[in-house]
Amino acid sequence: METGSLNSESLNRIVGMSVRGGTGKKQGGVAGKVEPFVSQNEHNPRELRSWAKRTGFVSDYSGEAGTSGSAKFEAFERKGGGSSPKIEIDPVVGRTRRNEIETESRGGAPRAENGAVLDERGRKEERKVGLNGNANNGVVNREGNGHGASAVAPVNEEKEGEEGNGDVKVNVFPAEEEHRDGGWQGPLGLKCGLKENPGIVPLIYYGLQHYLSLAGSLVLIPLVMVPVMGGTDKDTASVISTILFLSGITTILHSYFGTRLPLVQGSSFVYLAPALVIINAQEYRNLTGHKFRHIMRELQGAIIVGSIFQSILGFSGLMSVLLRLINPIVVAPTVAAVGLAFFSYGFPQAGTCPEITIPQIALVLIFTLYLRGISIFGRHLFRIYAVPLSLTIIWIYASFLTAGGAYNYKGCNPNIPSSNILLDACRKHAYTMQHCRTDVSNALATAAWVRIPYPLQWGIPVFHFRTSIIMVIVALVASVDSVGTYRATSLQVNSRPPTPGVVSRGIALEGFCSILAGLWGSGTGSTTLTENIHTIDITKVASRKVVVVGAAFLILFSFIGKVGALLASIPQALAASVLCFMWALTAALGLSNLRYSQSTSFRNITIVGVSLFLGMSIPAYFQQYQAESSLILPSYLVPYAAASSGPFRSGIKQLDFAINALMSLNMVVTLLVSFLLDNTVPGRQEERGVFVWSRAEDISTDPSLLSEYSLPKKVARCCCCFNFKCLGV
């Protein structure tokens, strides 16, 4: 080690290996000699500070002048009378394994039954070495600090009168408490852990709270799709009710038979862009009679085929193999591209009514950023209910504008905006009236009080090769998105990362749930919502039972037709302004996966930058071939019409449509580029941030973790009979 600097490799040896002072022997296959940091009179303290800034090293510095973590560690070894600890840390999550902290006493000191060294008075001596493995606390972060460097917190010097021989207690997660049975409790910041049951009333409250925070993702997609498909307000209400029903059913299935993490399933933005591409196909542009049903049946058939592929990917175990190639450098830009893909739709649609959309965007940002720390009755209401609260306030404000005549124009009938096209004086106001007024929709008047969604409610699905190929690739993108969400959520609830078999099981079940979405006709597939990460972070509720209770309420609300009708009455411009925030949040959550890799690595930032740029630029090239559609479609829909007139020409119309459509999708191009570069450009595992998944034998030997991921007993026995070991059974 050079004088006046710290070697990151020496720091990395401390975590996940045995440290035995002065022996120089290998324990567990790794040498554990720790060299001290030696300061000089001419040493510039900024050198160490700059090294820490570059690598993300955060030391639990004691504040004592002239001491460092390495020096204190060496002092601890000297005071230990030759006794040095054997520290074994779980390589997956950085926790110490139960009953695996051992100490050897060279002087032959007596030991207690648990192996602790007894002092002269027969009392057990314990000292603490602050090895903090929590990524949030920033000291040792084998997977989450993004720099691949581990750090050792300094050891508090022993008080006078304490004996030197003794065990070392390793406090890896100071924000957590260990159960008596050897399991681990969730972070103290969580109000409700994964397996906790807070009681009937809290379950209902937390369940409704959980889904209200996800309201923007659950109900706003039909407000974008159905009007473009030529559907009526009643059709929009029916699709919203169907999505609520399917979200409840699929969430319950995933909670019991999927990964068993507290994840909400629903219509994802991943499927929205491909759906818009299919909706804007040339043969549907001039269709008048039953246009909505024709397009919905086409979407249903494509979703079913793509979902079957996703199920095969999971049930066959191929997903476990693919996991070796899916890492943060692939997940981050791909998920970010899902949100960034709608920049041409967001504000161009919201800008129709700036008097209500700009206040909406400003208010949701004020709630989420400026007022996030304000607590009312012990609840961070602004942070948790930012989207539904701001939407309600601006919706009421828009109603006052409508009632006050802000959107009344001379000679124009506000009740029938479509008829205003016939009058030259009203033509320029028709679009504004249709998208801004709160009394345009007749969904509340036409919807029934009770309506139960049922399979094939729009007719028999239609299957075509071109649309099926599109959805097969989109199902692969959705799987990559879900892998990142599984990983992040498992660390949020302080569980081990799932095994590859559990991930395969989750992907397989997502495919099955998307088949249900295709049969019922929601217009999109069902997948794990990326916003789950944000929801758990702001609500601090990660209980599986809370998610299930909330899903039951969704099913109940889906049977009440007026609920879907009320949500369908949201003005389209107002919905677009909320989606601007939701899409931006999706992009940010995608990029947050970079924290699992070395985010300052030139290799990584180059791959991410090139992937995002090409993921936006290549589709723009394909989207410029719009000669036939530029005069027919609104400007915000033109980018989704490239499939019918793109530059790829092979002579096979079905193949031409599929290739032009896929290359016009930002997330698909970004996935292809990042996947290729990350798996071909050389790089260390720590640099790439390779996901470390749990092993099946690790989970099977830990009772607390076994209950987190294992299937219900009867289902597990049934799967064992069919030898589904690839599903983590």
Side-chain angles (χ1 to χ4, degrees), residues 228-282:
V228 180
M229 297 168 64
T232 63
D233 297 329
K234 185 178 180 181
D235 293 329
T236 304
S238 299
V239 173
I240 291 178
S241 296
T242 302
I243 287 179
L244 293 178
F245 174 78
L246 289 170
S247 180
I249 293 294
T250 55
T251 299
I252 293 175
L253 289 175
H254 193 85
S255 298
Y256 284 102
F257 309 113
T259 61
R260 309 211 67 192
L261 289 169
L263 297 172
V264 177
Q265 309 293 303
S267 294
S268 172
F269 295 131
V270 174
Y271 287 91
L272 179 56
L276 290 175
V277 169
I278 296 174
I279 291 170
N280 288 285
Q282 187 172 1

Side-chain angles (χ1 to χ4, degrees), residues 30 54 61 78 86 96 167 192 218 239 253 267 336 441 479 552 556 568 669 691:
V30 183
R54 288 195 313 271
Y61 193 70
R78 290 198 300 266
K86 180 180 180 181
T96 54
D167 279 353
C192 193
L218 288 173
V239 173
L253 289 175
S267 294
S441 175
S479 301
L556 178 63
V669 178
F691 285 148

Side-chain angles (χ1 to χ4, degrees), residues 580-603:
C580 286
F581 172 76
M582 300 304 301
W583 288 328
L585 180 62
T586 301
L589 291 173
L591 292 177
S592 69
N593 284 279
L594 292 175
R595 69 186 185 270
Y596 300 119
S597 65
Q598 289 186 5
S599 56
T600 57
S601 166
F602 179 76
R603 172 196 181 274

Side-chain angles (χ1 to χ4, degrees), residues 464-641:
H464 287 116
F465 172 78
R466 58 178 191 173
T467 55
S468 299
I469 290 297
I470 295 173
M471 284 303 176
V472 165
I473 303 301
V474 171
L476 185 60
V477 177
S479 301
V480 172
D481 184 4
S482 297
V483 167
T485 306
Y486 294 165
R487 171 75 177 187
T489 305
S490 66
L491 298 181
Q492 273 187 315
V493 302
N494 196 36
S495 172
R496 271 185 196 269
T499 64
V502 174
V503 174
S504 295
R505 192 173 72 206
I507 297 300
L509 192 69
E510 283 190 17
F512 174 76
C513 293
S514 291
I515 294 175
L516 298 182
L519 292 174
W520 260 261
S522 63
T524 63
S526 178
T527 186
T528 300
L529 299 180
T530 309
E531 295 80 0
N532 274 286
I533 304 172
H534 176 66
T535 298
I536 295 176
D537 181 57
I538 62 175
T539 62
K540 304 301 180 185
V541 176
S543 173
R544 185 186 299 149
K545 294 183 178 180
V546 165
V547 173
V548 171
V549 170
F553 275 99
L554 278 190
I555 297 174
L556 178 63
F557 293 149
S558 70
F559 295 158
I560 305 175
K562 295 295 184 181
V563 172
L566 178 65
L567 296 173
S569 303
I570 300 175
Q572 292 185 30
L574 192 58
S577 63
V578 176
L579 286 172
C580 286
F581 172 76
M582 300 304 301
W583 288 328
L585 180 62
T586 301
L589 291 173
L591 292 177
S592 69
N593 284 279
L594 292 175
R595 69 186 185 270
Y596 300 119
S597 65
Q598 289 186 5
S599 56
T600 57
S601 166
F602 179 76
R603 172 196 181 274
N604 293 345
I605 60 179
T606 301
I607 292 176
V608 173
V610 170
S611 301
L612 280 176
F613 179 80
L614 293 181
M616 307 300 289
S617 185
I618 292 177
Y621 167 74
F622 279 79
Q623 293 166 5
Q624 69 181 344
Y625 290 88
Q626 306 298 334
E628 299 178 2
S629 60
S630 58
L631 300 178
I632 301 174
L633 298 175
S635 59
Y636 56 84
L637 292 178
V638 169
Y640 304 104

Side-chain angles (χ1 to χ4, degrees), residues 104-157:
E104 291 186 11
S105 177
R106 298 179 182 175
R111 292 177 176 271
E113 293 180 0
N114 60 357
V117 180
L118 300 179
D119 66 0
E120 297 174 352
R121 293 176 295 276
R123 293 180 299 182
K124 287 185 286 187
E125 283 288 320
E126 290 183 349
R127 285 189 299 252
K128 295 183 179 180
V129 177
L131 291 176
N132 188 334
N134 195 333
N136 295 329
N137 295 334
V139 181
V140 172
N141 194 343
R142 305 230 354 139
E143 302 164 0
N145 68 351
H147 302 284
S150 303
V152 178
V155 182
N156 295 330
E157 295 188 3

Side-chain angles (χ1 to χ4, degrees), residues 2 57 194 276 367 372 404 455 463 486 629 679:
E2 296 181 0
F57 173 84
L194 179 63
L276 290 175
F367 287 168
R372 68 183 188 275
F463 299 92
Y486 294 165
S629 60
N679 289 284

